[in-house]
Amino acid sequence: MARGQGPTVRRRRLASELRRLREAADLTIDEVGEKLECSASKVSRIETGHVGVTPRDARDMLALYGITGDGQEALVQLAREARKRGWWHAYNEVFTGTFVGLEADASSLRAFQALLVPGLLQTERYAFSVIRALRPDAEESETRRRVAARMARQQLLADDPPVEYWAVIDEAVLHRVVDSAEVMAEQLYRMSAMAEKPNVTVQVVPFGAGAHPGMEGPFLIMGFPEQADPDVVYVDDSTSSGLYLEQPEDVRRYALMFDHLRAAALKPDDSVALITDAAGRFAEQAAAVQEPRNTNPRQ
């Protein structure tokens, strides 16, 4: 599927268009609900993209707004396409909200992480340890299901066409031991290898850079190929489903933050070298732990 053609983005585009057409018709949400004999909250949820809209509801709303003919049929068809299921529905007990659908349809992803390797670059063992730490009360089967879902998300980086992925991480990510030295070595070697791909860029903000905008917390800026689909900022929050920012001023603020982070970070080649060096140190530690000890005094 081409980037920007998935059901989540289509639903978002339809919601925006229905809101624009209602306002052009000089109708309030309450008036639409009354005329269509439905609740105002349903109309509001449709316009914010929190719920899907059936082709029948779309047709009724468009008729109310004076949209007929080909214009109506095009938007009703968009409603049909927005109801299709993406691959992530196989993990509907893991993925909540619209995050994974938006991510899957993005043409560019700009991410910052201060404490952990970004999810799209995590190895299976690293991801398992992270998820287990974040959800200590979860059953192992649930943890493994979440790991499998995260691994499935990583297909984005190998799609045709692949998403353009730019990740900036704090140097702390390279020193925080998750699980063991062996797991860290595997993880950091994987991250440096991924950074060699033409569609993946990884930069490290060194400790020497001091205070930086990313200290506020991790975030992801999702860009889309169509002008009709504005960028979305996702601010990660492990205690909820995350915060989505779509207002132009919010998106500009985070884009500026990301630009400052890129400027403060090491160049991509230097960043990969630093990551590889850290991986090598962890590999040496792991080898030392695994080296068999000679406990026979006669040898």
Side-chain angles (χ1 to χ4, degrees), residues 243-259:
L243 178 65
Y244 298 88
L245 303 174
E246 300 183 60
Q247 294 300 316
E249 58 272 20
D250 292 326
V251 175
R252 281 195 297 269
R253 181 167 70 89
Y254 275 90
L256 182 61
M257 287 171 59
F258 192 79
D259 286 342

Side-chain angles (χ1 to χ4, degrees), residues 173-178 180-186 188-189 275-288:
V173 175
L174 307 183
H175 298 277
R176 180 176 299 278
V177 180
V178 172
S180 65
E182 180 184 355
V183 167
M184 287 302 298
E186 176 188 53
L188 297 184
Y189 278 133
I275 295 168
T276 304
D277 286 346
R281 289 194 297 273
F282 278 119
E284 290 174 0
Q285 293 175 26

